[in-house]
Amino acid sequence: MTALWTSGEAEAATGGASTAPWSASGVSIDSRTIAPGDLFVALRDRRDGHAFLASAFAAGAAAALVDTLPSDLPAGAPCLVVEDSLRALEALGRAARARSRAMVFAVTGSVGKTGTKEMLRTALGALGAVHASDKSYNNHWGVPLSLARMPREVPFAVFEIGMNAPGEIAPLSRLVRPDVAIVTTVAPVHLAAFDSVDGIAAEKASVFQGLPSEGLAVINRDIPWSGVLEGEAVRAGARLTGFGREASDMRLVSAEIRDQATVVAAEDHGRPFVFRLSAPGRHLAMNATAVLAAVAGQGLDLARAALALGSWSPPEGRGTRQRILLGPSGLDGAIALLDESYNANPAAMGAAFEVFAATSVEDGIGRVRRGRRLAFLGDMLELGPGAADMHAALARHPAMASIDRVHTAGPLMRALHDALPPERQGEWHPDTEALAARVRALVDAGDAVMVKGSLGSKLSRVVDALRALGEAVPVTIEGGQS
């Protein structure tokens, strides 16, 4: 098998020097998950990767990229010594992009980046091999790491680009040099770092600065900031294609939400077609429309890509569905779990409420004798000075009428708790650990439960408590075109 990196190639890319010849089949920055044959990159972040070199080599690392040689380095362990390990990782990513002939897609946006990236992985997978960034590797180390892992010969590659502050997206886009760049949407997220949503729109639009001349910019035509996105794309010399419910090249005509699926009717330049997603959600239908706009805009096989989306499933914590079987083989009934615990903002909360409203419950099997929709919500973070008002405003969302009880945790969610009518007002706790401890008393067989909050709010504790009630089994449906 052809090596992903040899010592000579890595030296040429980074300007470093190897202590001995080596070749690597992968790249890793985490000694806990390293695979045999990986190049271990010792980054200096919250923890210094140089402290884990022994663990990395014990796990089978082929070599390590370091900016200093520790005294306790295992004997004979080959190292690539560079001036700065993060800059060297970026150089590896840049070299991987330069040698690749892949059609490269980049995805950014306030909401839906990871789901859309995974939809692209699925849709393009019907047309050829795809390299895509893992998880949400979308920041200053995640993007170059994903690039450095890109195989030499792969026809398609998909990268997610994110930001927490102004000026972060454009450099990452220039590193990726995408042929296609998608902005899913613009919403009031990360307002703690921006003066207004206009600033967020400008930052998202900067993804087009990495496009080559005649690259493809995929723009959401439904949002008020579409003009900002289009202006930046035009300045970059890009081709434009739009998606959305309004007049667009790829128009979302309708999205019929079912309990475990979404049937989508769309039009490609006025030509109608129908496809299905194996998860419910109008927001998912919009993301899929963006994906298909990119596929069609590049002249790829739209029909095969749309059919493939029937097998897509949401990433962990972003709409994952499970049934928690209670008692032996579910003898005591089950709880339907919608896990949205990875991230949250007002737009994503509203979309999740709509999906949850269509989730079925079961009557007559629990101690309550009536299935209920129960929401467990944690703080939405990085929203700036208006955060409390944004939390309280969730009480007025139309889909809230379909939720029987809302349990909350965190200081910001206190605003929602106080804004809810008494009949929907569940328990409030200062943190998710306290809320998780109450799960067993608050749910019952036949209930549907949604868990959502920002990653930093640690709603995964509530998800873990729910799964601990019984046997968690995935909910799947057969994908395909309708």
Side-chain angles (χ1 to χ4, degrees), residues 123-286:
L124 294 171
L127 311 178
V130 182
H131 170 70
S133 51
D134 289 338
K135 302 178 183 178
S136 290
Y137 286 0
N138 61 22
N139 63 1
H140 64 288
W141 59 258
V143 172
L145 174 63
S146 299
L147 278 167
R149 288 173 166 176
M150 183 163 54
R152 297 170 184 271
E153 303 292 340
V154 66
F156 301 108
V158 184
F159 299 93
E160 179 180 339
I161 298 179
M163 61 88 179
N164 288 303
E168 294 182 344
I169 288 180
L172 295 176
S173 183
R174 295 190 189 104
L175 188 64
V176 170
R177 293 195 291 118
D179 300 292
V180 182
I182 300 171
V183 178
T184 59
T185 192
V186 175
V189 182
H190 302 302
L191 276 174
F194 290 85
D195 293 334
S196 67
V197 183
D198 292 341
I200 294 173
E203 179 67 17
K204 297 299 182 185
S206 70
V207 73
F208 301 134
Q209 294 180 22
L211 287 172
S213 179
E214 293 299 306
L216 183 66
V218 184
I219 291 172
N220 188 332
R221 295 291 190 189
D222 288 352
I223 60 176
W225 301 275
S226 62
V228 175
L229 303 180
E230 182 172 339
E232 189 61 49
V234 169
R235 282 188 289 274
R239 295 177 292 126
L240 296 174
T241 191
F243 67 95
R245 296 179 182 86
E246 304 303 323
S248 294
D249 300 319
M250 187 66 66
R251 190 168 80 88
L252 175 60
V253 177
S254 65
E256 180 186 345
I257 298 179
R258 299 178 181 176
D259 188 29
Q260 298 173 21
T262 306
V263 178
V264 186
E267 291 179 351
D268 173 29
H269 292 83
R271 297 183 293 272
F273 65 102
V274 177
F275 64 97
R276 184 171 63 174
L277 298 172
S278 55
R282 290 184 181 85
H283 62 301
L284 301 181
M286 183 64 80

Side-chain angles (χ1 to χ4, degrees), residues 378-379 381 388 391 409-416 418 428-431 457:
D379 286 350
L381 304 178
H391 282 73
L412 291 170
M413 272 296 165
R414 182 75 205 204
L416 171 60
D418 292 341
W428 173 83
H429 293 275
D431 55 51
S457 297

